[in-house]
């Protein structure tokens, strides 16, 4: 069986053959043989035999993402975003995504939580660089700096210092 | 005794556990968003006290007293935070005929004022950080404060009399910056604490934060414990604590303990409390403040002393005499470390990360203690409260063993759905300076600044490939299962049955 799978946005073509609990998985010339056992509703244990591919015992928990085909794969060290493309009724992976609009279009910075605006660090017309602080919001007993996801120019600022905002309120727009 | 726990989260669960061990019935209270929280499920009885915002529920003295009356509770444990250090609440409990499991209201009130507490320390013969003794009200002129500051010496802190947790506090390097700092501290103190009074305190350069836990009964006995070292702080908030401190010798411990006891005696303190000190590079220590409650970091004291502090809180409240010997409580057995696990994203400026915890794998094994009832899988971490979701503690025969056990446990710990500070702690526990005990209260902020946003979560080279294999296995299973149009792995909301069906075929 062949699949198109994106891993952190990178497309891969994968060929999978299964015999009982053993999977032979071929991608870009690499071959891995994996023994798979079910742990619970969302978690699998994988033992890689190392014969030509990776070796070792790995555990993965697979949770559905927001879009069809999206699967968040939780490994010991962290989470990897994957998307299985090509099955019926599914769109191909698009470049959009990312909380603040990682690519293309204006960045619309919204309040991630209700809180009080304690500082507005930019004004319309300012040029900002990636990771530059835009607004400081106080919530959950802490001051939190909201930053730009990429460089751009501040188009609008919709809040002032001292404002109380609800979650989801538009704070600034960066073009 | 029947105890109402006027709190939520992990500390409510902690108190319920102690009550259950002692055969004491428990009454929980909950706000709207906490209906399904663990403390509600654990308690014998539970009562709604209003909307999720704290001021409409957990801070409502009238509602809490009313629940005590309706449930027949005769004692109240305030936990930490919320009303734990509110002397009006302690007084209201007593007025309603309830036992307040904490100190007398007037002792709480005296130690709640920073300048009042400093005066108590002086009277008890305990050294304090050089500074002003009288609160400086809005009528005291900037010129007068400038003169006072010059006599104390720079760098100097301008602090709110009613302050705490780093709020209403400004550090001033030189006289030029003093006036704006006074304005800022007054305004923050007024808006945060409703009290614009400030005072001055000289900055101790690169101090360690050392504190002494104590218990005091109603018969005049005060028992101090081995110190806790709480110098690992981010923006003046403790994130990791350990006991004992590498910087404290047995002789210094004796002196700290006797000073702490002297302060407690001076105000007629009872129940559990903590005296905080700053320790400078020359080994001089200074009284900082008293916390008139059980503290977040109490488990590490329990681990090195073998004493259950919450049990003793309940026993003291029932009038029992302390039978603990300082020979035991001041001689640590091994070493303990606690990490405060927050629902926050260390790779995004430690921004709170509320939302649904979809699942978790918890650490265990030798020397590991978890107090993780603050959030459970399937439930939202609310946006309304402190984002502490768990405390992870380790114990070892010595500091080295406590560190490797903690590092190992952090590696086992996995929380899905929300971001947590676990990756940050993995980095901290691997730091050479931390491992060598070379740090003070300025260490963490300095190290974090030096990292300059370098991500804490860094996947090993093969992680993406492993994920690809897992996704491929999943896709293959999904395709092989008839009747399902597309892959739908579990999301903790019931859809996981489909994946279970597919993967059951693997057996």
């Amino acid at each position: 069986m062949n699949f198109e799978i994106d891993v952190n946005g990178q497309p891969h073509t994968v060929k999978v053959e299964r015999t009982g609990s053993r999977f032979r998985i071929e991608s870009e010339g690499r071959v891995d043989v994996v023994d798979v056992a079910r742990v619970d509703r969302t978690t699998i244990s994988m033992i890689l035999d190392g014969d030509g591919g990776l070796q070792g015992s790995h555990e993965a928990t697979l949770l559905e993402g927001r879009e069809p085909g999206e699967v968040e794969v939780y490994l010991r060290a962290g989470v990897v975003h994957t998307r299985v493309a090509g099955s019926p009724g599914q769109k191909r992976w698009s470049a959009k995504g990312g909380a603040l609009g990682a690519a293309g279009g204006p960045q619309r910075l919204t309040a991630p939580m209700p809180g009080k605006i304690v500082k507005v660090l930019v004004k319309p017309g300012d040029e900002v660089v990636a990771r530059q602080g835009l607004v400081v919001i106080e919530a959950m007993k802490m001051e939190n700096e909201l930053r730009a996801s990429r460089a751009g120019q501040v188009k609008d600022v919709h809040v002032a210092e001292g404002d109380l905002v609800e979650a989801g309120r538009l704070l600034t727009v960066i073009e | 005794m029947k105890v109402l726990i006027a709190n939520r989260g992990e500390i409510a669960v902690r108190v319920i556990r102690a009550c259950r061990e002692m055969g004491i019935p428990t009454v929980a209270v909950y706000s709207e968003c906490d209906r399904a929280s663990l403390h509600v499920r654990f308690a014998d009885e539970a009562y709604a006290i209003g909307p999720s915002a704290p001021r409409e529920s957990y801070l409502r003295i009238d509602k809490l007293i009313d629940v005590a009356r309706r449930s027949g509770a005769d004692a109240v444990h305030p936990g930490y935070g919320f009303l734990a250090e509110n002397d009006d609440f302690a007084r209201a409990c007593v007025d309603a005929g309830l036992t307040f499991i904490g100190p007398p209201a007037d002792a709480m009130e005296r130690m709640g004022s920073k300048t009042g507490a400093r005066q108590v320390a002086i009277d008890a013969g305990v050294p304090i950080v050089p500074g002003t003794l009288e609160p400086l009200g809005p009528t005291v002129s900037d010129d007068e404060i400038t003169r006072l500051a010059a006599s104390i010496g720079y760098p100097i802190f301008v602090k709110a009399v009613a302050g705490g947790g780093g709020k209403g506090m400004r550090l001033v390097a030189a006289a030029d910056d003093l006036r704006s700092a006074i304005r800022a501290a007054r305004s923050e103190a007024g808006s945060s604490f409703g009290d614009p009074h400030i005072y001055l305190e000289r900055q101790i350069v690169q101090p360690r934060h050392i504190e002494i836990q104590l218990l005091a009964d109603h018969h005049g006995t005060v028992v101090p414990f081995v110190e806790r070292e709480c110098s690992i702080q981010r923006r003046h908030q403790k994130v990791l604590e350990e006991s004992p401190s590498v910087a404290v010798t047995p002789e210094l411990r004796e002196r700290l303990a006797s000073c702490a006891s002297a302060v407690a005696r001076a105000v007629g303190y009872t129940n559990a409390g903590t005296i905080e000190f700053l320790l400078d590079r020359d080994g001089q220590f200074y009284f900082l403040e008293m916390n008139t409650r059980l503290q977040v970091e109490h488990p590490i004291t329990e681990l090195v002393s073998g004493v259950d502090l919450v049990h003793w809180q309940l026993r003291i409240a029932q009038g029992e005499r302390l039978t603990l010997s300082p020979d035991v409580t001041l001689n640590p057995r091994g070493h303990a470390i606690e990490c405060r696990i927050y629902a926050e994203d260390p790779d995004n400026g430690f921004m709170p990360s509320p939302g649904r915890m979809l699942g978790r794998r918890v650490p265990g094994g030798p020397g590991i203690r978890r107090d993780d009832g603050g959030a459970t899988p399937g439930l939202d971490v609310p946006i309304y409260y402190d984002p502490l979701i768990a405390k992870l503690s380790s114990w070892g025969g010595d500091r080295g063993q406590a560190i490797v056990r903690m590092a190992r446990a952090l590696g086992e710990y996995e929380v899905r759905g929300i971001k947590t500070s676990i990756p940050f702690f993995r980095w901290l526990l691997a730091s050479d300076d931390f491992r060598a005990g070379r740090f003070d209260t300025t260490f963490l902020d300095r190290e974090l600044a030096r990292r300059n946003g370098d991500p804490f979560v860094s996947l090993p080279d093969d992680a993406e490939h492993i994920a690809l294999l897992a996704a491929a296995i999943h896709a293959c299973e999904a395709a092989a299962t008839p009747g399902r149009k597309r892959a739908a792995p579990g999301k903790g909301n019931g859809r996981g049955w489909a994946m279970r069906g597919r993967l059951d075929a693997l057996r």
Side-chain angles (χ1 to χ4, degrees), chain B residues 173-434:
Chain B
D176 289 349
D177 304 325
L178 186 61
R179 281 159 205 271
S180 69
I182 293 168
R183 239 185 332 274
R186 278 217 172 106
S187 122
E188 213 169 294
S191 64
S192 296
F193 311 110
D195 176 0
H197 284 81
I198 54 170
Y199 69 105
L200 303 177
E201 206 176 78
R202 186 196 296 160
Q203 184 199 22
I204 305 295
V205 177
Q206 298 182 354
R208 284 176 178 259
H209 176 119
I210 305 287
E211 60 184 32
I212 297 283
Q213 170 76 54
L214 48 83
L215 287 172
D217 67 16
H218 293 278
H219 309 279
T221 302
V222 176
V223 177
F225 286 76
V226 172
E227 77 284 348
R228 293 187 289 249
E229 156 101 57
C230 313
S231 302
I232 302 292
Q233 304 182 359
R234 195 176 77 81
R235 298 197 205 165
H236 306 291
Q237 305 269 355
K238 300 168 186 172
V239 298
L240 176 148
E241 305 91 354
E242 61 181 300
S243 180
S245 165
V246 296
V248 175
T249 61
E251 295 73 30
L252 180 55
R253 180 173 302 136
E254 285 292 334
R255 287 195 287 135
L256 286 164
S258 79
C259 283
S261 301
V263 170
R265 280 182 213 285
V267 289
Y269 199 84
T270 58
N271 218 282
T274 295
I275 311 281
E276 298 187 337
F277 297 97
L278 292 180
L279 177 67
D280 72 15
R281 288 175 294 188
D282 304 323
Q284 296 297 312
F285 64 86
Y286 310 88
F287 169 84
L288 188 63
E289 63 180 55
M290 180 170 197
N291 295 132
T292 56
R293 54 170 157 82
L294 183 69
Q295 281 187 270
V296 174
E297 60 270 28
H298 75 273
I300 55 173
T301 298
E302 298 187 321
L303 288 170
V304 296
S305 69
V307 173
D308 189 311
L309 293 169
V310 182
H311 275 223
W312 271 110
Q313 284 196 290
L314 295 160
R315 292 172 68 175
I316 289 168
Q318 288 171 312
E320 276 194 46
R321 282 172 188 277
L322 275 164
T323 53
L324 299 166
S325 156
D327 293 341
V328 173
T329 60
L330 287 176
N331 283 306
R333 192 182 66 93
H335 196 98
I337 301 173
E338 175 191 85
C339 293
R340 301 188 183 194
I341 312 291
Y342 284 99
E344 61 187 19
D345 182 359
D347 284 330
N348 190 10
F350 292 87
M351 178 92 63
S353 173
R356 182 152 302 177
M357 188 195 288
L358 300 177
R360 66 180 172 191
R361 179 171 63 180
V362 295
I368 296 302
R369 167 174 171 174
R370 289 183 290 115
D371 290 85
D372 58 4
T376 51
L379 296 183
D380 286 348
V381 175
I383 54 180
Y384 301 97
Y385 316 116
D386 186 290
L388 180 73
I389 56 167
K391 303 187 303 200
L392 180 64
S393 308
S394 73
W395 180 88
D398 56 27
R399 186 169 187 266
Q401 191 181 41
I403 288 174
V404 294
R405 281 178 169 170
M406 179 60 85
R408 184 265 301 162
L410 288 164
E412 291 174 8
Y413 213 161
E414 190 182 311
V415 175
R416 296 182 283 271
I418 53 171
K419 300 284 203 313
T420 74
S421 49
I422 292 170
F424 154 76
F425 281 116
R426 289 177 185 158
W427 162 78
L428 177 62
L429 267 285
S431 141
D432 288 342
D433 285 336
F434 174 74

Side-chain angles (χ1 to χ4, degrees), chain A residues 8-21:
Chain A
N8 282 346
Q10 288 296 112
H12 299 269
T13 303
V14 186
K15 184 180 174 197
V16 186
E17 287 167 24
R18 180 184 160 188
T19 315
S21 68

